[in-house]
Each structure stands twice: as structure tokens, then as C-alpha cells.
Amino acid sequence: MPDRAQAVLDVRGLETVFCTRGGDIHAVNKVSFHLKPGELLGVVGESGSGKSVTMMSLIGLLPSPPAEVRSGEVLLGGKDILKLSPVELRRVRGARVGFVFQDPMTSLNPVLTVGDQIMEPLRRHMGMSKADARRRAAELLVLVGIPDAERRLKNYPHQFSGGMRQRVMIAMALACDPEVLIADEPTTALDVTIQAQILELVAELRRKLGMAIVWITHDLGVIAGIADRVMVMYGGQVVEQAPVKELFRNPRHPYTRALLKAVPTLSGARAARLQVIDGQPPMLGAAPSACPFRSRCSHAFARCATENPARRPLDDKPLDHGHDVACHWNPETADA
């Protein structure tokens, strides 16, 4: 198993706080993970779990103020990009780290042609001439499966379907051959047919380009089909991380188990009863001193109310390499 020194992206103890008039909101609490070249890491959790805020914190996409990265390291190629100046960080975004947003209609500029928007990072980060950038932009549209690329470069975002706009966003993210691609729920607003096409496209691009990918989603079915490893987040922190097959075969955190039970399934000709997770997500107004899931957990006991559990490995591998969990409850010594 490669060690963390070989990771293209290595995040250590990331903590992000939103400073408001009502007090600090601890949106990301000591999150750590790493990403190997060519690996796809799935990040799952319900709305408000900290998935998107974590990834936007990595590359300075959150407005500051109110957002503030209080601690942690984000090593990209061994260099901590949190220590870069705003100008240096802008050079990293788009060039070394690509970002695909959830809603392309609000992410694309409606008054600029698609060609101009794809060409912009090519000219800014790679110093291409206008003619070279236009040729590369056409190649990118072909790469993401948009036909008649030369003509479509002249079109505006509203002239594309939802699925095609998402392909344009992927083309923009890939423009400068980034080492890491972060995709923030890019198929959520699409119908299932287009979603399947986008997933197939990403799998093909990953094989061709060998880039590392972080895929943020609430859809465990998507993760089961595309991810190598899965990171489960709740209350702004990582509660479980494992290889994808291991996580689905042997989930260890009560929250992960509850998420899997909430996935709609069919039993024979009839749908099984959909299970829900009782209660509400935690308020994030203070740094957690107890388990954030305890009020919704059927396995909670006294220690859960006084100590926020640290992640611990469940095998002989170090954290982030095998299966680890942040939970005081042990299903092997209790009634699971």
C-alpha cells in the first residue's frame, strides 16, 4: 500500500469556521484524508454534513469573511496550498485542481459564449494564444462528447441542455490537465438517463487521463458504481472511511448503517419499506465535545455525551489506508 508521501492530495486536520454575529459556526472539524493518483474518493453524507464546505475550503472558494480556515494543512504535490497568497492560490485553481459545480446554469456566465469560458483558463494558466486556446477548447468539447464542437463553441449556455451544460463544466475543469478533479454533486439536477451518461463519461476520462477525483454526493448508488474509497461525513467531520466494497459489506458507524438502510430497495415485486433516520442534524455553533450523532443513534451510551470519538483503524493499516471509524460503539462486542 503506497504511503501518504505518494498522495497527490493530502489533507490533514482541516478546520473551517464561519464567523457570524451569533457566534462561530464550526462547519468542518479536523477533517483528514488523502488521494492517490488515479483514485476516485467518494464523499457522502446528508445535506449540511460538511462535504461541499470541506472541498471548497481546500482551494479557497469560500468567501472570507465570514469563512475562515482555522487550522490544518492541504498538501498538493507536497506543498501546503493554504499558505499560498491569494494570487498564488488562483494559479492553483483551474490549473492543478479542477472543480465541477452542482448547477452549471448558475456556474456558467450567461453572457459569454461557451468557447470564451473554456478558453479563459487556457489563456490565463497556460499562456496559450487565442487561436491555440480555441483549438484546445474544441478538442475538450469533443473529449466530453459534445458533437460539432467548432460550432458549439459560439453558443451560449442557454443553448445547451442540462446534460450538455454539465459536460461543458467538465470540459472547463479539465482544460489545464489538473492533477485533481473535485466534482460537487454534478449529476443531482439531471434525469437518470443523462446522469448515467455523465458517470460513464467521468469513468472514461479517468481511464484516459489518470487523474484523481473527489466525487461529492448523497447518492450511495452512484458511489457504489464509481468509487475506490468512500468517506462518510456527519456534523462537519469524518465518521467512517473505507474501500467501497468494504464499506457496503461491513459498515461500522451507526450513521453509515442508517444511510444504507435509507436507500430505496426492491424486494421481489414489491418495494421494501423505506427507513428514515430519526431526529435532526446537529447544530454546529460550537466545536463538538461529544459525538455529533449521539441524539439520533440507537447505540449511544454515556461516553458518547462527554467525548467526541477520534477515528481509529479497524485493521492493521494506518488511517486513510484501510477501514477506520470514529465511534465509541463496537458492534463486535455488542448486540449489533
Side-chain angles (χ1 to χ4, degrees):
M1 177 68 67
D3 59 27
R4 297 189 79 139
Q6 296 173 284
V8 62
L9 179 67
D10 189 359
V11 179
R12 304 178 181 180
L14 184 68
E15 182 181 11
T16 301
V17 174
F18 287 91
C19 304
T20 70
R21 292 179 180 179
D24 291 349
I25 298 174
H26 293 255
V28 180
N29 180 42
K30 303 296 183 182
V31 168
S32 298
F33 67 92
H34 77 281
L35 194 62
K36 295 177 289 187
E39 182 179 35
L40 194 150
L41 174 68
V43 183
V44 301
E46 61 193 297
S47 297
S49 61
K51 308 184 301 296
S52 298
V53 174
T54 296
M55 300 308 157
M56 295 176 77
S57 297
L58 304 183
I59 51 176
L61 283 176
L62 295 174
S64 178
E68 178 185 335
V69 177
R70 288 273 173 90
S71 64
E73 294 178 308
V74 178
L75 304 177
L76 182 66
K79 186 174 183 179
D80 187 0
I81 62 176
L82 292 181
K83 295 180 179 178
L84 299 179
S85 68
V87 172
E88 292 172 318
L89 192 55
R90 281 197 293 271
R91 296 191 187 119
V92 170
R93 289 196 299 263
R96 300 183 65 189
V97 180
F99 207 105
V100 181
F101 294 93
Q102 180 174 345
D103 185 358
M105 199 59 204
T106 57
S107 301
L108 293 169
N109 191 324
V111 300
L112 294 178
T113 66
V114 160
D116 286 338
Q117 294 183 67
I118 300 175
M119 290 164 59
E120 193 266 343
L122 293 168
R123 302 196 69 187
R124 172 176 292 186
H125 296 300
M126 303 186 76
M128 288 187 178
S129 67
K130 187 173 182 179
D132 287 343
R134 189 167 191 84
R135 279 193 293 270
R136 176 59 177 160
E139 291 173 359
L140 287 163
L141 288 189
V142 172
L143 183 66
V144 298
I146 296 180
D148 198 7
E150 287 288 349
R151 181 180 66 84
R152 299 310 301 265
L153 286 175
K154 303 173 185 177
N155 291 158
Y156 292 86
H158 72 272
Q159 295 174 283
F160 289 78
S161 67
M164 287 297 180
R165 284 194 293 268
Q166 197 58 274
R167 290 171 185 260
V168 170
M169 289 292 298
I170 293 172
M172 291 176 61
L174 297 177
C176 300
D177 298 322
E179 300 161 56
V180 178
L181 177 69
I182 300 175
D184 187 2
E185 304 206 39
T187 61
T188 297
L190 307 177
D191 64 53
V192 291
T193 302
I194 304 302
Q195 181 185 75
Q197 293 175 2
I198 296 296
L199 293 173
E200 184 178 347
L201 168 65
V202 169
E204 181 181 355
L205 293 175
R206 183 184 169 203
R207 287 192 299 269
K208 285 183 178 180
L209 306 177
M211 63 185 166
I213 300 175
V214 177
W215 191 278
I216 306 168
T217 185
H218 64 274
D219 191 332
L220 287 165
V222 168
I223 288 300
I226 65 172
D228 297 309
R229 283 188 300 124
V230 185
M231 185 169 77
V232 183
M233 294 192 66
Y234 184 83
Q237 59 192 53
V238 179
V239 296
E240 188 165 6
Q241 189 171 180
V244 63
K245 291 182 179 179
E246 171 67 11
L247 187 92
F248 279 80
R249 183 184 65 84
N250 184 29
R252 295 293 292 270
H253 197 282
Y255 178 61
T256 309
R257 292 183 170 206
L259 282 180
L260 291 171
K261 288 179 180 178
V263 175
T265 59
L266 291 176
S267 178
R270 300 179 62 184
R273 182 178 177 82
L274 186 64
Q275 299 192 38
V276 299
I277 306 175
D278 292 329
Q280 298 294 325
M283 301 296 290
L284 301 177
S289 58
C291 174
F293 189 61
R294 68 190 185 283
S295 64
R296 308 173 74 183
C297 180
S298 59
H299 302 288
F301 54 99
R303 185 181 178 189
C304 304
T306 60
E307 181 184 344
N308 190 8
R311 288 167 61 191
R312 56 183 174 86
L314 299 175
D315 45 34
D316 58 356
K317 299 173 183 175
L319 287 178
D320 295 342
H321 287 86
H323 192 170
D324 58 72
V325 68
C327 186
H328 297 307
W329 175 69
N330 186 347
E332 294 179 353
T333 60
D335 181 11

